[in-house]
Amino acid sequence: MNQVNQRQYKVGVLGATGTVGQRFISLLAEHPFFVIHALGASSRSAGKPYSKAVNWKQTRAIPAVVREMVVQECVPEHFKDCVVVFSGLDADVAGDIEHAFRVADLAVFSNAKNYRRDPHVPLIVPLVNTSHFSIIPQQQRLHAPPLRKGFIVTNANCSTTAVVVPLGALERAFGPIESCMITTMQAISGAGYPGVPSLDIVDNVVPYIPGEEEKIEWETLKILGGLAHADDDDSGSGLLAFDMHAAQPLRISASCTRVPVVEGHTECVSVRFARRPPPSPQQVREALQAYTSEAYSIGCPSAPRHTVFVHEEPDRPQPRLDRDYQAGAGVSVGRVRQCRVLDIKFVVLANNVAIGAATSSIINAEYAVLKGIVSATAA
Amino acid sequence: MNQVNQRQYKVGVLGATGTVGQRFISLLAEHPFFVIHALGASSRSAGKPYSKAVNWKQTRAIPAVVREMVVQECVPEHFKDCVVVFSGLDADVAGDIEHAFRVADLAVFSNAKNYRRDPHVPLIVPLVNTSHFSIIPQQQRLHAPPLRKGFIVTNANCSTTAVVVPLGALERAFGPIESCMITTMQAISGAGYPGVPSLDIVDNVVPYIPGEEEKIEWETLKILGGLAHADDDDSGSGLLAFDMHAAQPLRISASCTRVPVVEGHTECVSVRFARRPPPSPQQVREALQAYTSEAYSIGCPSAPRHTVFVHEEPDRPQPRLDRDYQAGAGVSVGRVRQCRVLDIKFVVLANNVAIGAATSSIINAEYAVLKGIVSATAA
Amino acid sequence: MNQVNQRQYKVGVLGATGTVGQRFISLLAEHPFFVIHALGASSRSAGKPYSKAVNWKQTRAIPAVVREMVVQECVPEHFKDCVVVFSGLDADVAGDIEHAFRVADLAVFSNAKNYRRDPHVPLIVPLVNTSHFSIIPQQQRLHAPPLRKGFIVTNANCSTTAVVVPLGALERAFGPIESCMITTMQAISGAGYPGVPSLDIVDNVVPYIPGEEEKIEWETLKILGGLAHADDDDSGSGLLAFDMHAAQPLRISASCTRVPVVEGHTECVSVRFARRPPPSPQQVREALQAYTSEAYSIGCPSAPRHTVFVHEEPDRPQPRLDRDYQAGAGVSVGRVRQCRVLDIKFVVLANNVAIGAATSSIINAEYAVLKGIVSATAA
Amino acid sequence: MNQVNQRQYKVGVLGATGTVGQRFISLLAEHPFFVIHALGASSRSAGKPYSKAVNWKQTRAIPAVVREMVVQECVPEHFKDCVVVFSGLDADVAGDIEHAFRVADLAVFSNAKNYRRDPHVPLIVPLVNTSHFSIIPQQQRLHAPPLRKGFIVTNANCSTTAVVVPLGALERAFGPIESCMITTMQAISGAGYPGVPSLDIVDNVVPYIPGEEEKIEWETLKILGGLAHADDDDSGSGLLAFDMHAAQPLRISASCTRVPVVEGHTECVSVRFARRPPPSPQQVREALQAYTSEAYSIGCPSAPRHTVFVHEEPDRPQPRLDRDYQAGAGVSVGRVRQCRVLDIKFVVLANNVAIGAATSSIINAEYAVLKGIVSATAA
């Protein structure tokens, strides 16, 4: 992967000892142009070498480059040389810390949920809606005082990411979707560590994940909806705003469950298109297979070649077999067939800890670098 | 449970060494009025005492009453004293054997799928459509030569049973359902033994079960549909026929998956009612909780007191915690709430090896005894 | 189970909302002569009806008798009418609370580890060493001020209980064991709730349980060792003392692992006898099968008829199939065969939440009632 | 890994569609000097392109190089250009087919058990006893007619491989081991596909694997034992013979269990050394960490740099976290500590489908190439 003569960019990781932070570090340690420069965690960990501060739970060993790196508290001054700051912080602290980093004119790419509903913060699944980066200048300008380089970009919840990729591909090919039913079977790693008690999930299904259904139903609208100048509103402000798919209302109904799977969210999805007659299963398969993300097109190194891999075998995708395809950066779809109630149904699988979390943030940052959205003060 | 002065009825079990057969035997060994009289299995097992013929996989020990009982081949002459014959046969042999038993004027209660689509054989989930027993006289009369006592009654596939119980209750309370989306998370025991290879299901979900979605979509229509004299057809035959819910077409779309759970099928269900406005979640909860099966009303000893148990906690039902409630004879519903695409959604759990299989056959037979449908030649 | 004209004894449960407490309540709700009279838990739960205070995780519903019972703080005055107090308290609070209850002249049967190493407190696995109850008068007499009715009896750690039952049976039949190697495969329920994080155990084995190996190695010596008057010591005190198997030193080496099993500890055990030649596998099988506990002999209702069930099939015992035999009150042994390093090896299975925890305490209390060790102030 | 100007060697894979065969293909597709030239399977698969013949169950996709390769029947003529033939055949056919290939002067590296006990066939765990290759010339010479290039080399059973690596390292450092107790917790993939039925292993442990304990107890003696000219026997034959560790008898006692883990065998091992006093735990740790295999020293590309990785954390190794370290080619040891019965105990983990199967065969073949044992007719 390493490219010759590539400029290098210093990056920081907030929440470096947590589950998402560990994944950020695993991925960034092998990145072609990001270089881990600073690690932030709670005051309990600050001051310790990373290998002493972390309860490492990844299947790959701690990367040599961070073993002895001293963990810092999550304050901007320790990260001021970072071109990009990734946040794997828990929601209970992410709000204040990410705000402080933005104010300090740092570019924050966050996996936390805190700013996803902010009207000036884009919620970007990099295989779908990188166009929403266009709101960044407005986010900086409206800040008081205005920001020169600082901003926050969030990525979506893991279960939203899985479904929004094929939905985005289908809307691009066939126009608006009108309604969508989703039942998820989510992996335990989605809840972090210690997360789900084993007594709750061995030989069991838990048909409820607090807040999850609301996240899918809301985030999908923001991601798939438009971002446009509100030219015609009374205020005449001309500000960019997320329309929540308002032009063609999209009704989404999600049912979320937890299953005894370590990694990989499986989701049964059924959709109804506005367009009549709707596309056939074969047309849907072809459109999904042909879909390419802009992130891949412009050369983001972590973007998957196959945004959506379409399986022909009737019993795929399966989390254990398919979650590591393309390092978990794409999604896998199978069983595309007609639905007797809506139009088309299928199964989608996404790696919740890869494209469903850290990988999305990293592709977003790669995109921002390649597009010049972050100030390319190279390391 | 044991009742004083109760008449006893001799019963036989076909496929006695298989997974369903073992469950029949476990249940019948403690039955208040059925007495195991004959066990049938393949010629490989015939002639051996049951404890030698079987690879017993139940959590309770082999009942003493059958340990030394000699297994017979599945031919009617060994079962001629049985008032009721239960069939846990595999589909590849059930067709011929059950036919032979019916011809020999034996009452067969079958868990096999072979006759479920037969226009003269009722497909009875005993908590829902015991009224379909009314076709038995016609089944006997139309047979050539006409049968005096023999007939076949089938019960439904395990995943159909789970959903059809709340659907039946809802239709009774609120009138016809118009459409229904179902996603199942089915236990490995549903596939029998050896069934699902462990390499396919540990840390995994398999989003496909051959033939399962078709069964749910078809069987539900037969069970919930009417059974009426075709008075107005051109033939003037006046025969009873299953209308497959034709009066109010019901569209059903099922997505079936296998999850690493030993016992208990969990299903996420969403429904749209014909009636506008539809009932509220609270009305649905009350209707489900209030629903009582005729089988329970007339005193079938294996019928559950609570046909549908409605959970208030947001994270229930769960297979490991709820599958053994009422010995697995009822179903559990939870998370009744509004659906943004259809009207109401909820989660239902049914024990696939109890009410989803042997227990259904047994309640059907209890009903037939109490209603005088089987000739009560007591043992 | 309920017996006519049986005297009833009021009992209390400390730690009533915890995992062990829930099991105590499930068992006591159906007990022939114990009647739940008081429930104790932390101040967070105190004052609430039990059904509101508890996060119930048992497969059977909350017993009706305790649903509305108000939970008390764990102070003796709320339990003063209890003939027996069961303690399912966590170790961090059990020490002080159980002490206070003993001082208040209450009979405490504890599943906690705090007093297991106390030289005046017996550590009783009721299928093995009920003879150790004989130290109770001394425990009361040596207390300052002397106790009239109060005392503490503990039962063993769950993994100790499994192995000590067959070891006790073998020593009774064949004399002292000289060395014993044990490898455990322990269920997740042994760690309570939330206990083991699912990310640590799904598709995994954890080859370490803090403190567990030391418990097995130490507790086994106390349980299997003698309790005798130290007549010949220099002090001439004549006090009863536990000899830790000193007459014939017993070397025990344990390796403890956690496996993805909900309930039931499986242990591979190998032993060397002092007696040469050692017994044959067949002699061992017969001795285990023939072993009867004194608790069963004198009529303790929860003591299992078969203390040790010996399996002949080569692939048993298995936790899923055998853990509920006799309501989990006995142990199952299989694969008795020669060991090339020591003498005999076998597999033992015990239900860690039944005989490995609450059931042991209850049988101990039944024994104390039947023997008149607790003052039988009937309820 | 790919090396410049490296000679390439054509290889064949027998049993190419099976579990072990799939692993051979995954590994060989990325090998620096082996090139897959021919694939053999049963007549049912022969004639089909590999991607149609196989039910691929690996987490990586079918390598492009074999997708369209036509599967052959397992007869030597289709493999005559192969310098090395790997056998992943099932035991029921491996005996005859491997014999035929050897007679046809092909070098067979077999994972099957059929020839492991043959007195002229070496049983080589490549991290331990590559010295046993010295019997190959005798195997060829004693064949009738003598072979020029053909021979059979086997590798060990997966559970043997795990334990024999640290035992070999310890004997090299501290001299003979006298006795060894082993309890295994083996992964389901060790049984192939379909292998273990899920109903037998979800939420369960099966304390028995047919033939497994005998394999460990016998194979370990052959591997760790000497291979020497029987100069002093009466026959004066001077033939090389395996002494089964006869110089210092080694008693091994194994207890084998199956646990719900996909990949990675965990084994609790305890050893007693002949040397008194025995080494300390710290000395054992250092000796294991320092151990280097000859295969790695001479440059076998698949041999692991760390033959034995020694963990310091008390709760490692764990199969899910450690099985993929060094692509599963080494073993992981942890919890080295004193044993109260023997001398030293520890936990060892080996990837049963990597070093426990295909990887061993491949390193053996690499060794044979580098040492000139196979005729280096380059591809």
Side-chain angles (χ1 to χ4, degrees):
Chain A
M1 289 256 283
N2 241 300
Q3 298 168 22
V4 187
N5 297 331
Q6 172 79 52
R7 285 174 70 181
Q8 304 287 304
Y9 300 84
K10 289 179 179 164
V11 303
V13 177
L14 302 177
T17 57
T19 305
V20 177
Q22 292 181 29
R23 188 54 76 129
F24 271 126
I25 287 169
S26 283
L27 292 168
L28 292 169
E30 304 187 345
H31 198 274
F33 58 70
F34 289 140
V35 178
I36 301 174
H37 179 71
L39 303 177
S42 69
S43 55
R44 199 180 57 251
S45 297
K48 297 182 188 166
Y50 185 68
S51 62
K52 301 294 181 199
V54 73
N55 183 8
W56 188 257
K57 291 279 178 183
Q58 306 301 304
T59 58
R60 283 188 267 179
I62 301 182
V65 68
V66 297
R67 285 196 71 83
E68 302 306 319
M69 195 175 283
V70 174
V71 176
Q72 312 282 350
E73 295 211 42
C74 292
V75 290
E77 62 187 85
H78 301 307
F79 294 79
K80 61 181 190 302
D81 295 333
C82 294
V83 175
V84 162
V85 175
F86 294 105
S87 166
L89 292 166
D90 284 339
D92 55 346
V93 297
D96 290 347
I97 294 175
E98 294 177 2
H99 175 73
F101 273 66
R102 177 170 60 176
V103 169
D105 248 343
L106 288 162
V108 178
F109 291 81
S110 173
N111 190 61
K113 71 178 178 189
N114 305 58
Y115 291 98
R116 288 186 193 148
R117 295 192 177 219
D118 185 301
H120 304 301
V121 172
L123 174 51
I124 300 181
V125 172
L127 310 181
V128 178
N129 64 323
T130 40
S131 65
H132 286 192
F133 267 108
S134 61
I135 204 171
I136 297 295
Q138 174 174 307
Q139 182 189 147
Q140 297 176 318
R141 194 174 65 244
L142 292 185
H143 198 272
L147 299 165
R148 209 167 42 88
K149 301 191 298 182
F151 62 80
I152 296 175
V153 167
T154 62
N155 49 275
N157 188 45
C158 47
S159 58
T160 306
T161 301
V163 70
V164 89
V165 176
L167 293 187
L170 292 176
E171 291 211 322
R172 189 193 286 179
F174 306 114
I177 290 171
E178 212 174 73
S179 42
C180 177
M181 299 273 299
I182 305 160
T183 301
T184 70
M185 285 151 281
Q186 299 183 223
I188 55 177
S189 52
Y193 185 87
V196 182
S198 55
L199 276 172
D200 281 340
I201 203 67
V202 173
D203 183 22
N204 207 15
V205 169
V206 180
Y208 178 59
I209 303 175
E212 197 78 0
E213 296 170 358
E214 293 76 8
K215 284 183 198 166
I216 294 180
E217 293 172 3
W218 195 92
E219 294 181 3
T220 299
L221 296 181
K222 181 166 179 181
I223 294 163
L224 293 182
L227 173 61
H229 288 280
D231 297 316
D232 48 12
D233 69 357
D234 292 346
S235 67
S237 66
L239 286 179
L240 281 167
F242 298 101
D243 77 358
M244 300 301 291
H245 215 278
Q248 172 74 43
L250 167 53
R251 291 180 302 154
I252 303 173
S253 175
S255 295
C256 293
T257 75
R258 187 79 68 191
V259 294
V261 165
V262 173
E263 213 171 286
H265 289 354
T266 308
E267 309 190 5
C268 292
V269 182
S270 193
V271 296
R272 179 180 162 88
F273 295 89
R275 154 181 153 178
R276 312 315 297 171
S280 70
Q282 184 55 25
Q283 289 173 313
V284 165
R285 261 179 234 117
E286 288 166 6
L288 292 173
Q289 191 76 55
Y291 180 77
T292 303
S293 69
E294 191 202 353
Y296 180 75
S297 301
I298 69 161
C300 293
S302 302
R305 176 184 182 79
H306 299 110
T307 307
V308 182
F309 184 88
V310 179
H311 288 268
E312 295 298 327
E313 308 91 326
D315 62 349
R316 300 286 277 267
Q318 295 176 17
R320 196 171 74 74
L321 296 180
D322 298 313
R323 63 193 169 202
D324 289 330
Y325 179 63
Q326 302 183 111
V331 307
S332 294
V333 164
R335 306 207 66 214
V336 180
R337 61 210 194 282
Q338 281 184 311
C339 173
R340 294 191 181 205
V341 173
L342 303 181
D343 291 335
I344 293 283
K345 56 186 174 182
F346 57 87
V347 177
V348 61
L349 172 81
N351 187 317
N352 56 298
V353 295
I355 192 60
T359 302
S360 267
S361 286
I362 290 174
I363 304 175
N364 280 343
E366 291 170 351
Y367 184 91
V369 164
L370 294 176
K371 286 288 197 176
I373 296 166
V374 290
S375 308
T377 313
Chain B
M1 288 255 285
N2 240 302
Q3 298 168 22
V4 188
N5 296 331
Q6 172 80 53
R7 287 175 66 180
Q8 304 289 304
Y9 300 83
K10 290 179 179 164
V11 303
V13 178
L14 302 177
T17 58
T19 305
V20 177
Q22 292 181 29
R23 188 53 76 129
F24 270 126
I25 287 168
S26 281
L27 292 167
L28 293 168
E30 304 187 345
H31 198 272
F33 57 71
F34 289 140
V35 178
I36 301 173
H37 179 71
L39 302 176
S42 70
S43 55
R44 197 178 60 250
S45 297
K48 297 180 189 167
Y50 185 69
S51 63
K52 302 293 182 200
V54 73
N55 181 9
W56 187 257
K57 292 279 178 182
Q58 306 301 303
T59 56
R60 282 188 268 179
I62 302 181
V65 68
V66 296
R67 285 197 70 85
E68 302 307 318
M69 195 175 282
V70 174
V71 177
Q72 311 282 350
E73 295 211 43
C74 292
V75 291
E77 64 187 82
H78 301 307
F79 293 78
K80 61 181 192 302
D81 295 334
C82 294
V83 176
V84 163
V85 175
F86 294 105
S87 166
L89 291 166
D90 284 339
D92 56 345
V93 298
D96 290 348
I97 294 175
E98 293 178 2
H99 175 74
F101 273 66
R102 178 171 60 177
V103 169
D105 247 344
L106 288 163
V108 178
F109 291 80
S110 173
N111 190 62
K113 70 178 178 188
N114 306 57
Y115 290 98
R116 288 186 193 147
R117 294 190 177 221
D118 186 301
H120 304 302
V121 171
L123 173 52
I124 299 180
V125 172
L127 310 181
V128 179
N129 65 324
T130 41
S131 64
H132 286 192
F133 267 108
S134 61
I135 203 171
I136 296 297
Q138 175 174 306
Q139 181 189 147
Q140 296 177 318
R141 193 176 67 245
L142 291 184
H143 198 271
L147 299 165
R148 209 165 43 86
K149 302 189 299 182
F151 62 80
I152 295 174
V153 167
T154 62
N155 50 275
N157 187 45
C158 47
S159 58
T160 306
T161 301
V163 71
V164 87
V165 176
L167 294 187
L170 292 176
E171 291 212 321
R172 189 192 287 179
F174 306 113
I177 290 170
E178 214 175 72
S179 41
C180 177
M181 299 272 300
I182 305 160
T183 301
T184 71
M185 284 151 280
Q186 298 183 225
I188 55 177
S189 52
Y193 186 86
V196 182
S198 56
L199 276 172
D200 281 341
I201 204 66
V202 172
D203 183 22
N204 208 14
V205 168
V206 181
Y208 178 60
I209 303 174
E212 197 79 0
E213 296 171 358
E214 293 76 8
K215 285 182 197 167
I216 293 180
E217 292 172 4
W218 195 93
E219 294 180 3
T220 299
L221 296 181
K222 181 164 178 180
I223 294 163
L224 294 183
L227 172 61
H229 287 280
D231 295 316
D232 48 11
D233 69 357
D234 291 347
S235 68
S237 67
L239 285 179
L240 280 169
F242 297 103
D243 76 359
M244 301 300 291
H245 215 278
Q248 172 74 42
L250 168 52
R251 292 180 302 156
I252 303 172
S253 174
S255 296
C256 293
T257 76
R258 188 79 69 190
V259 294
V261 165
V262 173
E263 213 170 285
H265 289 354
T266 308
E267 309 190 3
C268 292
V269 181
S270 194
V271 296
R272 181 181 162 88
F273 295 90
R275 154 181 153 178
R276 311 315 296 171
S280 70
Q282 184 55 24
Q283 289 173 314
V284 165
R285 262 179 233 117
E286 287 166 8
L288 292 173
Q289 192 75 54
Y291 180 77
T292 303
S293 69
E294 192 201 355
Y296 180 75
S297 301
I298 70 162
C300 293
S302 302
R305 176 185 183 78
H306 299 109
T307 306
V308 182
F309 184 89
V310 179
H311 288 268
E312 295 298 326
E313 306 91 327
D315 62 349
R316 301 287 277 268
Q318 296 176 18
R320 195 170 76 73
L321 296 180
D322 298 312
R323 63 193 170 202
D324 289 329
Y325 180 63
Q326 299 183 114
V331 306
S332 294
V333 164
R335 304 206 67 213
V336 180
R337 61 210 193 283
Q338 281 184 312
C339 174
R340 293 189 182 207
V341 173
L342 304 182
D343 291 336
I344 293 282
K345 56 186 174 182
F346 57 85
V347 177
V348 61
L349 171 81
N351 187 315
N352 56 298
V353 296
I355 191 63
T359 302
S360 267
S361 286
I362 291 174
I363 303 174
N364 280 343
E366 290 169 351
Y367 184 92
V369 164
L370 294 176
K371 285 290 199 177
I373 296 166
V374 291
S375 308
T377 314
Chain C
M1 289 254 284
N2 243 298
Q3 298 167 22
V4 187
N5 295 332
Q6 172 79 54
R7 286 174 69 181
Q8 304 287 305
Y9 300 83
K10 288 178 180 166
V11 303
V13 177
L14 302 177
T17 58
T19 305
V20 177
Q22 292 180 30
R23 187 55 76 128
F24 271 126
I25 286 169
S26 281
L27 293 168
L28 293 168
E30 303 186 345
H31 198 275
F33 57 70
F34 289 139
V35 178
I36 300 174
H37 179 71
L39 302 177
S42 70
S43 54
R44 200 179 56 249
S45 296
K48 297 182 188 165
Y50 185 69
S51 63
K52 301 294 183 198
V54 73
N55 182 8
W56 188 256
K57 292 279 178 180
Q58 306 300 304
T59 57
R60 284 187 266 179
I62 302 182
V65 68
V66 297
R67 285 197 70 85
E68 302 306 319
M69 195 175 283
V70 175
V71 176
Q72 311 283 349
E73 295 210 42
C74 292
V75 290
E77 63 188 83
H78 300 308
F79 293 79
K80 61 181 192 301
D81 294 333
C82 294
V83 175
V84 163
V85 175
F86 293 105
S87 167
L89 291 166
D90 284 339
D92 55 345
V93 297
D96 289 348
I97 295 174
E98 294 178 1
H99 175 74
F101 273 65
R102 177 170 61 176
V103 168
D105 248 344
L106 288 162
V108 179
F109 291 80
S110 173
N111 190 60
K113 69 178 179 188
N114 306 57
Y115 291 98
R116 288 184 193 149
R117 294 191 176 220
D118 185 302
H120 304 301
V121 172
L123 174 52
I124 300 182
V125 172
L127 310 180
V128 178
N129 64 323
T130 40
S131 64
H132 286 191
F133 267 109
S134 61
I135 203 171
I136 297 296
Q138 175 173 305
Q139 181 189 148
Q140 297 176 318
R141 194 174 68 243
L142 292 184
H143 197 272
L147 299 165
R148 208 165 45 86
K149 302 190 298 183
F151 61 81
I152 296 174
V153 166
T154 63
N155 48 275
N157 187 46
C158 47
S159 59
T160 306
T161 302
V163 70
V164 88
V165 175
L167 294 187
L170 292 176
E171 291 212 321
R172 188 192 287 178
F174 306 114
I177 290 170
E178 213 175 72
S179 42
C180 176
M181 298 272 300
I182 305 160
T183 301
T184 70
M185 284 151 281
Q186 298 184 223
I188 54 177
S189 52
Y193 185 86
V196 183
S198 57
L199 276 172
D200 281 341
I201 203 66
V202 172
D203 183 22
N204 207 15
V205 169
V206 179
Y208 178 60
I209 303 174
E212 198 79 1
E213 296 170 358
E214 293 76 9
K215 284 182 196 166
I216 294 180
E217 292 172 4
W218 195 92
E219 294 180 3
T220 299
L221 297 181
K222 181 166 180 180
I223 295 163
L224 294 182
L227 173 62
H229 287 280
D231 296 316
D232 48 12
D233 69 358
D234 291 347
S235 68
S237 68
L239 285 179
L240 280 168
F242 297 101
D243 75 359
M244 302 299 292
H245 216 278
Q248 171 73 44
L250 167 53
R251 292 181 301 157
I252 303 173
S253 175
S255 296
C256 293
T257 76
R258 187 79 68 191
V259 294
V261 165
V262 173
E263 213 171 286
H265 289 355
T266 308
E267 309 189 4
C268 292
V269 182
S270 193
V271 296
R272 179 180 162 88
F273 295 90
R275 154 181 153 178
R276 314 310 300 170
S280 70
Q282 185 54 25
Q283 288 174 313
V284 164
R285 261 179 234 114
E286 288 166 6
L288 292 174
Q289 191 76 56
Y291 179 78
T292 303
S293 69
E294 191 201 355
Y296 180 74
S297 301
I298 70 162
C300 293
S302 301
R305 176 184 182 79
H306 299 110
T307 306
V308 183
F309 184 88
V310 179
H311 288 268
E312 296 298 327
E313 307 91 326
D315 62 349
R316 300 288 276 267
Q318 295 177 18
R320 196 172 74 75
L321 296 180
D322 298 312
R323 62 192 170 203
D324 289 330
Y325 179 63
Q326 300 183 113
V331 306
S332 294
V333 165
R335 305 207 64 214
V336 180
R337 61 210 194 283
Q338 282 184 311
C339 174
R340 293 189 182 207
V341 172
L342 303 182
D343 291 335
I344 293 283
K345 58 186 174 183
F346 56 86
V347 177
V348 61
L349 172 81
N351 186 316
N352 56 297
V353 295
I355 191 61
T359 303
S360 267
S361 286
I362 291 173
I363 304 174
N364 280 343
E366 290 170 351
Y367 184 92
V369 163
L370 294 176
K371 286 288 197 176
I373 297 166
V374 291
S375 308
T377 313
Chain D
M1 288 254 283
N2 241 302
Q3 299 168 21
V4 186
N5 295 331
Q6 173 78 54
R7 287 176 67 182
Q8 304 288 304
Y9 300 84
K10 289 178 178 164
V11 303
V13 178
L14 302 176
T17 57
T19 305
V20 177
Q22 292 180 29
R23 189 52 77 128
F24 271 126
I25 287 169
S26 281
L27 292 168
L28 292 168
E30 304 187 345
H31 198 273
F33 57 71
F34 289 140
V35 178
I36 301 174
H37 179 71
L39 302 177
S42 70
S43 54
R44 199 179 59 250
S45 297
K48 297 181 189 166
Y50 185 69
S51 63
K52 301 294 182 199
V54 73
N55 182 8
W56 187 257
K57 291 280 178 182
Q58 306 301 304
T59 57
R60 283 188 267 178
I62 301 182
V65 68
V66 298
R67 285 197 70 84
E68 301 307 319
M69 195 176 282
V70 174
V71 176
Q72 312 282 350
E73 294 211 42
C74 292
V75 291
E77 63 188 83
H78 300 309
F79 293 79
K80 62 181 191 301
D81 295 334
C82 294
V83 175
V84 162
V85 175
F86 294 105
S87 166
L89 291 166
D90 284 340
D92 55 346
V93 297
D96 290 348
I97 293 175
E98 293 178 2
H99 176 72
F101 274 65
R102 177 170 60 176
V103 169
D105 247 344
L106 288 163
V108 178
F109 291 81
S110 172
N111 190 60
K113 70 179 180 189
N114 305 58
Y115 290 99
R116 287 184 193 150
R117 294 191 178 221
D118 185 302
H120 304 301
V121 171
L123 174 52
I124 299 182
V125 172
L127 310 181
V128 179
N129 64 323
T130 40
S131 64
H132 287 192
F133 266 110
S134 61
I135 204 170
I136 296 297
Q138 174 174 303
Q139 182 189 146
Q140 295 177 319
R141 193 175 67 244
L142 292 184
H143 198 272
L147 299 166
R148 206 164 45 87
K149 302 190 300 182
F151 62 81
I152 295 174
V153 166
T154 63
N155 48 276
N157 188 45
C158 48
S159 59
T160 307
T161 301
V163 70
V164 88
V165 175
L167 294 187
L170 292 176
E171 291 212 320
R172 188 193 286 179
F174 306 113
I177 290 171
E178 212 175 74
S179 41
C180 177
M181 300 272 299
I182 305 160
T183 301
T184 71
M185 284 150 281
Q186 299 183 223
I188 55 177
S189 51
Y193 186 86
V196 182
S198 55
L199 276 172
D200 281 341
I201 203 66
V202 173
D203 183 21
N204 207 15
V205 168
V206 180
Y208 177 59
I209 302 174
E212 198 79 1
E213 296 170 357
E214 293 75 9
K215 284 182 197 165
I216 293 180
E217 292 172 3
W218 194 93
E219 294 181 4
T220 299
L221 296 181
K222 182 166 179 180
I223 294 163
L224 293 183
L227 173 61
H229 287 281
D231 296 316
D232 48 11
D233 70 356
D234 292 346
S235 67
S237 66
L239 285 180
L240 280 167
F242 297 102
D243 77 358
M244 302 299 290
H245 215 279
Q248 171 74 43
L250 167 53
R251 292 180 300 156
I252 302 173
S253 175
S255 295
C256 293
T257 75
R258 187 80 68 192
V259 294
V261 165
V262 173
E263 213 170 285
H265 289 354
T266 307
E267 310 190 3
C268 292
V269 181
S270 194
V271 296
R272 181 181 162 87
F273 295 90
R275 153 182 154 178
R276 312 314 296 170
S280 70
Q282 185 55 23
Q283 289 173 314
V284 164
R285 262 179 234 116
E286 289 166 6
L288 292 173
Q289 191 76 55
Y291 179 78
T292 303
S293 70
E294 191 201 355
Y296 180 74
S297 301
I298 69 162
C300 293
S302 302
R305 176 183 182 79
H306 299 109
T307 306
V308 183
F309 184 88
V310 179
H311 289 267
E312 295 297 326
E313 307 91 326
D315 62 349
R316 301 286 278 268
Q318 295 177 18
R320 195 170 76 73
L321 296 181
D322 299 311
R323 63 192 171 203
D324 289 330
Y325 179 64
Q326 301 183 110
V331 306
S332 295
V333 164
R335 304 206 68 214
V336 180
R337 61 209 194 283
Q338 282 184 310
C339 174
R340 293 190 181 207
V341 172
L342 303 182
D343 291 336
I344 293 283
K345 57 185 173 184
F346 57 86
V347 177
V348 61
L349 172 81
N351 187 316
N352 57 297
V353 296
I355 192 61
T359 302
S360 268
S361 286
I362 290 174
I363 304 175
N364 280 343
E366 292 169 350
Y367 184 92
V369 163
L370 294 177
K371 285 289 198 177
I373 297 166
V374 291
S375 308
T377 312

